[in-house]
Amino acid sequence: MKLRKKVIFANMIIITLVLVISSPIIVATVDNANLHAVYQYLLRQSNFSQQYLAEYLKTVAEPSRAFEYNRLTLEKMLEDLSGCEVTVTSIADEKVFPIQEYALSGKKTYLIETTGDVRKFYLSFPVYMNGGIVGAVTFEQPLYREDAMKRGLILVLAIIFTLALLVSLVLSLVFSRRLIKPLELLTRASEKFSEGNFEPVALPRTRDELRFLTDSFNNMGRNIGAMLQKLRNEQEKQKNFIDNVTHEIRTPLTNILGYVDLAGRVADEDKRQRYYSYIKSEGERLLDMVNNLLELSRLNKYDLSANREKTDVTMLVMRVIELMKHRAESSDIKIIPDLGQVTADVDADKVKQVLLNLMDNALKYSEGKQITVRLWKEDKVYLSVSDDGRGIPEEDIPHVAEPFYRSDKSRSRKLGGSGLGLAVCREIARAHDGELLIESRKGEGTTVTISLQG
Ligand SMILES: Nc1ncnc2c1ncn2[C@@H]1O[C@H](COP(=O)(O)OP(=O)(O)OP(=O)(O)O)[C@@H](O)[C@H]1O
Ligand SMILES: [Mg+2]
């Protein structure tokens, strides 16, 4: 059975039970009150009649036989007095009703009897003379008014019962609709969920458990939607990454194969030597790229902190500068060191790799006249490489640290870059709980800073 039907059915059952149990109780209570009033009335009449008869019997010659012979006179007299039908019974009567028998034995007794459609109230009481019972009097009161009232009450209750059922049915329909509607909306929304549609459910204004359920349902939808979007982005990134790797590897490989082919066919020894040198440099570029890729993948997977050890960073930086000096001089570029004395817990090889990458970039791309290498310590260790060269276009700055991103593609590729250097630097910074910051102005120069938690 559907939930809505269940709610309506339960309501109907409750209303029916309440009315079926309460109706007879109401009818019985009202009827009892009415009967009690009749009883009280007859009781008063009986007391009065007893006194009256006692006085009357004093006036007759043979009081003990008055009930036997003056029966009709007595009955007429008492009927006028009480307004009820009266039956007089003598002690000498042989055939009497049980109620009269009780009265003749000295007990006031009442009885309600139904004959046909009519209920009658009987009250019998004894009459005394000189301490002994001489007869009994029975009042008979038909309960027309009380019966009519009882029937009227039953009718009213039946009408109330029907109306209550109808009203409750209508209200149940309305309320169950309001109760079920959110559930229907939620069911529909969960069906849409399974199809990947995470639209929030809009509920009419309520502040009950269903509202909380819907809110958490909507939250869940939002979170799953956001997570899916993130996954999709991640998937897209991975796909781009693989596309880039394939593309980048294909170029030097094609070059290598081309020069190998040429070197085999060319007769001139000089030319052949040149082709071999091209093959070597392309091979080295390929090896560099593969090494960088391996590095990126390793940095993404492992926590570097295990390789950290106390390092004289100033010394390390000076050694790298020494290493690059010759190349800088041949390009007519001056290297200016500005180094504080810093010792820190870092991975020396990685820091060296960062500096080599940054200085290599400055030498390759800046076309400037000088490179400044700074090292200082505040809350973290900072290492920066600045040049006074051409700078990076503003729109490229947020992207240059993405794998394979090059600001000037053809030029960078010509210079042998594959776009992985800064990505590796950023991962190394992250592995040291630091970050990579790129500041650059076109035509003024570039400063790349990495921070390391040391
Ligand atoms: N000092 C700089 N001045 C101007 N452009 C720069 C500078 N440093 C980096 N870039 C730009 O940022 C790009 C990304 O640099 P990144 O070091 O990541 O890659 P790459 O040098 O091209 O290749 P790889 O470092 O893998 O050999 C470079 O191609 C270059 O266009
Ligand atoms: Mg580089």
Side-chain angles (χ1 to χ4, degrees), residues 357-358 360-361 364-365 417 419-422:
N357 258 321
L358 299 185
D360 177 62
N361 282 353
K364 256 198 306 202
Y365 307 117
L420 291 170
L422 288 177

Side-chain angles (χ1 to χ4, degrees), residues 45-203:
Q45 293 302 326
S46 74
N47 290 338
F48 184 61
S49 301
Q50 269 179 324
Q51 283 169 13
Y52 182 82
L53 283 171
E55 290 303 315
Y56 169 76
L57 288 177
K58 280 182 197 161
T59 62
V60 293
E62 262 186 297
S64 58
R65 312 204 69 178
F67 270 70
E68 219 178 322
Y69 301 114
N70 293 355
R71 197 185 299 256
L72 284 178
T73 325
L74 277 176
E75 282 177 353
K76 177 83 182 66
M77 207 167 72
L78 290 173
E79 273 174 11
D80 290 346
L81 213 67
S82 65
C84 310
E85 262 183 58
V86 177
T87 313
V88 167
T89 317
S90 156
I91 194 93
D93 288 350
E94 284 176 5
K95 261 190 148 185
V96 290
F97 290 110
I99 183 173
Q100 292 163 336
E101 209 174 297
Y102 270 116
L104 287 173
S105 67
K107 290 172 199 145
K108 243 180 207 182
T109 314
Y110 75 87
L111 169 76
I112 299 161
E113 206 176 58
T114 311
T115 25
D117 292 350
V118 184
R119 282 188 304 166
K120 283 183 179 166
F121 198 111
Y122 296 95
L123 181 84
S124 271
F125 58 89
V127 180
Y128 296 92
M129 176 74 206
N130 299 330
I133 296 170
V134 288
V137 174
T138 305
F139 289 152
E140 179 186 327
Q141 174 82 23
L143 299 170
Y144 300 124
R145 204 176 60 89
E146 289 71 18
D147 279 351
M149 196 160 180
K150 192 175 172 181
R151 275 196 298 276
L153 190 62
I154 290 172
L155 185 71
V156 168
L157 283 172
I159 292 170
I160 291 177
F161 179 58
T162 319
L163 279 177
L165 269 186
L166 274 176
V167 171
S168 143
L169 184 68
V170 172
L171 289 181
S172 306
L173 279 171
V174 174
F175 282 117
S176 65
R177 168 116 206 86
R178 288 181 61 177
L179 188 74
I180 303 302
K181 183 134 202 262
L183 292 177
E184 286 177 350
L185 285 173
L186 283 175
T187 313
R188 231 172 293 144
S190 64
E191 282 166 7
K192 282 191 187 166
F193 262 39
S194 61
E195 293 159 13
N197 179 346
F198 299 103
E199 252 173 51
V201 181
L203 265 199

Side-chain angles (χ1 to χ4, degrees), residues 316-331:
L316 180 104
V317 173
M318 282 192 327
R319 256 188 260 127
V320 175
I321 292 175
E322 203 55 42
L323 220 67
M324 300 296 275
K325 216 172 192 158
H326 180 66
R327 204 177 128 195
E329 271 164 11
S330 65
S331 307

